[in-house]
Structures are given as structure tokens and as C-alpha cells.
Amino acid sequence: MQIAVLLYDRFTALDAVGPYEILSRIPGAEVVFTAAQPGPVRTEMTSLALSADAALQEVTAPDVLLVPGGPGTADLLADEPTLDWIRRVDETSTWTASVCSGSLLLGAAGLLTGRRATSHWVCLDHLWAFGASPARERVVVDGKYATAAGVSAGIDLALSLTGRMAGDEIARAVQLVVEYDPQPPYNAGSVATAPAALVAALRASDLAVGAV
Amino acid sequence: MQIAVLLYDRFTALDAVGPYEILSRIPGAEVVFTAAQPGPVRTEMTSLALSADAALQEVTAPDVLLVPGGPGTADLLADEPTLDWIRRVDETSTWTASVCSGSLLLGAAGLLTGRRATSHWVCLDHLWAFGASPARERVVVDGKYATAAGVSAGIDLALSLTGRMAGDEIARAVQLVVEYDPQPPYNAGSVATAPAALVAALRASDLAVGAV
């Protein structure tokens, strides 16, 4: 089973690495990080680069496609080579998945028309433009399309996909290996629980825009 | 404020990237990934490399040191150049932190003697050998030493450190930006909640050893 993770300039690191840490532990899974050009690809915060080991044209039929989000999505919404690649690998994928604003790329590729999908809370409403029905949920599965909310939600998405692909027993084993027993020291992780003033301030700020 | 993340062959990706995604968003923070040799460093699952942008000798006085875990720690427990570097930067750090089996490196460097500390559940008892008192907790703070449990616990550790370094308001803002509102689809993330048979099987298997 091949899992392809799309990298591009200014993607969000945890969007890609959270799911990687889970999915790469499925017995028999092979993960490949792919980008337009092989080599180091910088994250949005610029102080980290992940290596893309394969060019897009080398990755032709992954079983799972995972598209992370990040401010760099804005540069790709009209980038036909990237959107074409997404459409081509989606033709034969078992699962096509995204984290955060990665769902906007799936939408721009035309894959979410008429489907329920989610995204980072800041850009959830942008999904309407692609004919999708935005859902404010942590993970949304509609057919073979699995989309996650912002950044850290990719971990929950990946565990859910692991259960569907490899069974509950493997998913539980992976959860225990990565000791995923979250205990956030604050309760501000969603627009439902964060102080309303904080939500409003972030909506208006570069901080949140930079995140998606 | 400089935050140094130590990379080495066969580190665990999420141990490093979870905290990075949080800490890099603190206003004024600069994160540097450092390794014995600059360049790509492969994670334990081998299908991903992160770039180390600086050699250890170029990073002399970070405010925060973060040591991720991974099976590669086993190769470094007697590696004097690495342990010496850890000891030297610890002399002036504000916080010295670890995720997962990274605490074994802090222990091997002699920094946890007489302190409470935690680690991945599989190797928690190894902390005794370094004169530390193992605590089965998600995040343990003893003086300036902050240690986290396995892999995903680095996210909780980083949010906690963010609050202590930059205040609760910034920490909440970062939590909302990365939408850290975890909703694991299973409840097997700790030895307390996972089926006992799974815990026993993993203790005996290469899967868990490979994780730490």
C-alpha cells in the first residue's frame, strides 16, 4: 500500500507529519513524500524543511493521497500541473484525504463537488466556492474523500483511516505506540471552546491567515 | 528567543514536529533544527527526512533545547560529542525539554539526577538508571526540565511551555490556530486505557521497541 503526501512551499508541517506518524506504522504501508521538484521543501514557518523524495510524475498510482494545508495552498489553487496530478492520482486512489486548507486544493481540483467536507475553521466557508458543503467537524468522510479540520486534526483523521484500512486492532496498537492520549493544558482548540474575543481577533489577524 | 531541536538518525518525526508546530508560533521565537552534520536526517520510519540547518557546534546558547525520542536514542546514550553538546547548551538554557525517549538522552547527559521525569511508556523504567524518578504522567516539569510521554505528548508539552514562556493568552491563540481540539476515534492511547492484552503484546514486540 502506497501513501503519497504532497509537499509544496509553505505547507504546514504538522498537517503532513501527524498523519505520517500514524499511517507509516500500518503494516505494509509505504509512505512517499512528493513535490513538483524533489528535494527540501520549506514549511510555512520557514525554519523547517522536509525532503520530498519523489517528483510528482514519479508517483502515479498511490492507494492513499494525503494533501496537507498551509498558506502555500493559495499559490496552488490555479496551478494546473498540481491540480492535474491530484485529479490523476485520485482516479485510482482508495482514499483521497486532506488536512486543514488542503481541502481547498481537493476542491479546486473539482473533487469535492456535492460532497460534505471540512477544513481549518478560518477557511471553512471557502469550500462553498468549490461546490462542497462545509461541515464544522473534526473529520468528515464522504465516500472515499476524508477531510480533516485544522493542523492537529490530521492525527485523528489518520487514526480513523487506519481503522478503516487495517482494522480497529491495528489502529489501537498504533494509537498506543504513539501514546495518543491527548491532555491539552488549555481548552481553546476550537471555535466552540475558545474565548469569542480570541476567535474574532484571530479571524482578523495575520496569525490565523498564516496558519491556513 | 532561540529554540534548538536536536535531530539524529532514526528520531521519531512527530516528537520533533509536534512541538515545532506550537513553539515556532510564539512571537519572536526562532527555531533551529540541528544535528551532528547539517543536511537531511532520516526518521525512524525512513520514508521521511527533516533538514538540519545547523551543525551542533553552530548552536551554542539556545534558550530552549528540545530533544525528541526515537529508536536512534540507543546509538547516542554513550555518544560523548552529543551528550557533551547537550550538557553545554543546558548550562545556559531557560528550558531543557524532551519528548518520548529523548529523556533518556537527558538522563545519559546527567541532567535528570534526582529529578522527576517521564518518557514513552515502554521505556519509562529506564530512567531509574540515570538517577531520575520516573513518573507516569503526560508532561512532567521539574525545575527547568520538562519531559513528555511518548510521541504525541510533545504537543501538550509545547503548549504548556508556551504558556509558561509567553503567557496563557498566547498559548490559547496558538492552540486555536492549530485547532488542537483532539477527538481520538479510539481510546487506546495510554497503558491505563488500552486493552491489557494489547499493552502486553506491544511490550513484547518490535513495534513498540521501534517507537522509542
Side-chain angles (χ1 to χ4, degrees), chain B residues 12-36:
Chain B
T12 299
L14 186 57
D15 288 23
V17 173
Y20 165 74
E21 197 62 69
I22 303 291
L23 298 173
S24 63
R25 295 174 188 277
I26 298 174
E30 172 218 334
V31 181
V32 60
F33 285 81
T34 181

Side-chain angles (χ1 to χ4, degrees), chain B residues 8-97:
Chain B
Y8 52 87
D9 277 346
R10 300 193 298 132
F11 73 101
T12 299
L14 186 57
D15 288 23
V17 173
Y20 165 74
E21 197 62 69
I22 303 291
L23 298 173
S24 63
R25 295 174 188 277
I26 298 174
E30 172 218 334
V31 181
V32 60
F33 285 81
T34 181
Q37 309 274 342
V41 182
R42 288 272 150 194
T43 70
E44 57 161 316
M45 306 306 288
T46 73
S47 44
L48 173 62
L50 268 61
S51 295
D53 287 333
L56 295 184
Q57 64 261 32
E58 296 175 80
V59 180
T60 56
D63 299 284
V64 180
L65 166 64
L66 183 92
V67 178
T73 53
D75 302 329
L76 297 178
L77 291 174
D79 184 70
E80 277 307 316
T82 301
L83 299 180
D84 266 354
W85 179 81
I86 291 174
R87 277 187 287 260
R88 262 184 294 124
V89 299
D90 175 68
E91 281 174 19
T92 53
S93 70
T94 307
W95 289 98
T96 294

Side-chain angles (χ1 to χ4, degrees), chain B residues 90-144:
Chain B
D90 175 68
E91 281 174 19
T92 53
S93 70
T94 307
W95 289 98
T96 294
S98 66
V99 180
C100 198
S101 58
S103 58
L104 303 186
L105 291 181
L106 300 187
L111 304 180
L112 298 182
T113 312
R115 294 192 181 276
R116 294 178 76 247
T118 194
S119 194
H120 192 286
W121 61 271
V122 161
C123 57
L124 188 60
D125 285 343
H126 295 3
L127 285 168
W128 290 115
F130 304 113
S133 299
R136 196 176 292 291
E137 295 169 22
R138 188 85 175 151
V139 175
V140 173
V141 175
D142 185 343
K144 75 170 189 178

Side-chain angles (χ1 to χ4, degrees), chain A residues 64-89:
Chain A
V64 180
L65 167 65
L66 183 92
V67 179
T73 54
D75 303 329
L76 296 178
L77 290 174
D79 184 70
E80 277 306 317
T82 300
L83 299 180
D84 266 352
W85 179 81
I86 290 174
R87 276 188 287 260
R88 261 183 295 123
V89 299

Side-chain angles (χ1 to χ4, degrees), chain A residues 120-122 188 191 194-211, chain B residues 169-179:
Chain A
H120 192 286
W121 62 270
V122 161
V191 293
L198 175 61
V199 175
L202 280 179
R203 257 191 218 283
S205 79
D206 285 346
L207 181 58
V209 173
Chain B
E169 204 167 332
I170 296 287
R172 286 196 188 94
V174 172
Q175 184 182 10
L176 183 54
V177 167
V178 302
E179 214 162 342

